[in-house]
Structure formats: C-alpha cells, structure tokens
Amino acid sequence: MCIAIEEAEKGRAMGEQPFGAAVVIDGEVVVSTPSLKVSRCDCTAHSETLAVGMATQKLGRRHIPEAVFYATCEPCPMCLGAILNSGIKTLVLGARNEDIKQLATLAFNFGDYSAESFAKMVGWDLAVVTGVMHEECVDLYRTAAVELTR
C-alpha cells in the first residue's frame, strides 16, 4: 500500500486527483501508477484501469489471477470491472467509498455501492482486504479537499 500511496502523492503533485494503485505478484511490484485523468483529459485514466492495463501488457496475458491489487481508495464500478476482467482475486483497500464521499463533491455518489456488493452481483469470488493504511489513504483525499478550497 505504501507504493500506491506514493503514486497518489506523485499524482497530486502533478495536479492529478490523489489516487494510486499497484499490482503485485509474489511480493514483487509488477506496476504502479497514479491517476492521470486530468493531464490526459481522459475520464478512463483512473489509476486502477491504468494499472490493470499496464500489468497485463507487461506480463503479456489478459488474466492475472495470482496478482494482488492495491488501491488507495475503493475502486469505482468502471475500475472494479477492469480488475474483474483481469481475473484478479484479491483486492487490498485503504480508504472506502464511504470515507471519501463526504470529502468529494463531484464523485463517489454511488449509493450503497461497495467492492463486495459489486463482486456479489457479478458472481466474482473476490477477497477484499480492508483498512490497510486506512488513515494515510483517507488523508490523501482530506488534503486534496482542503487544497481545492484554497
């Protein structure tokens, strides 16, 4: 999670939203990336979709079920769909949707959505590990919210 947080901080320093992701296999980081939505003017360039694409391309395969996905924040439905399509079976989360939606005005309006409810809806056997560096991840968004009000 430390690497995903570093990516989120790097993105924030570049003027991006503070989201970071990492894909790990057997304890080795395959890829890590910040969100690049702002600089690319691309609403699909979330850290999670970028990380899935980069990892599958780097490994030369579409399915990486042995990978562990680290996200500083609970992935949105689009991002979780990308993770599902890669076959990943373990998702490690820092902040949850519930933590962040009170800090954001334009995002996180997903109602009762959660990674677990999405996985259940599509019949995905996904292990969700929560609370990893939770406060550090929430602080990424708290800091960004304060910066936006300046």
Side-chain angles (χ1 to χ4, degrees):
M1 187 61 76
C2 289
I3 292 170
I5 291 171
E6 287 173 11
E7 290 290 349
E9 290 171 340
K10 179 172 75 174
R12 186 177 66 217
M14 298 181 328
E16 297 288 346
Q17 295 173 323
F19 296 91
V23 176
V24 175
I25 296 177
D26 294 329
E28 297 293 322
V29 177
V30 177
V31 298
S32 62
T33 184
S35 173
L36 297 174
K37 281 175 52 173
V38 176
S39 61
R40 291 188 180 179
C41 294
D42 180 355
C43 62
T44 67
H46 294 196
S47 61
E48 300 90 346
T49 55
L50 293 171
V52 167
M54 291 164 55
T56 55
Q57 289 172 5
K58 181 176 181 177
L59 296 168
R61 358 184 226 128
R62 293 180 309 137
H63 293 98
I64 50 174
E66 73 278 22
V68 176
F69 195 98
Y70 290 82
T72 56
C73 185
E74 188 165 12
C76 74
M78 175 185 70
C79 292
L80 206 52
I83 296 166
L84 163 69
N85 279 297
S86 72
I88 291 173
K89 296 183 181 295
T90 304
L91 173 63
V92 180
L93 301 177
R96 297 299 300 245
N97 179 46
E98 284 297 315
D99 299 318
I100 305 308
K101 72 180 183 180
Q102 49 195 309
L103 300 172
T105 57
L106 298 175
F108 301 99
N109 298 316
F110 303 130
D112 292 335
Y113 166 83
S114 69
E116 294 89 346
S117 65
F118 181 97
K120 183 178 179 183
M121 178 183 71
V122 299
W124 179 16
D125 184 23
L126 177 66
V128 179
V129 180
T130 61
V132 176
M133 299 185 76
H134 176 263
E135 284 306 310
E136 293 89 337
C137 290
V138 172
D139 282 345
L140 289 167
Y141 311 105
R142 189 175 292 120
T143 300
V146 169
E147 289 170 353
L148 287 173
T149 59
R150 289 183 190 163

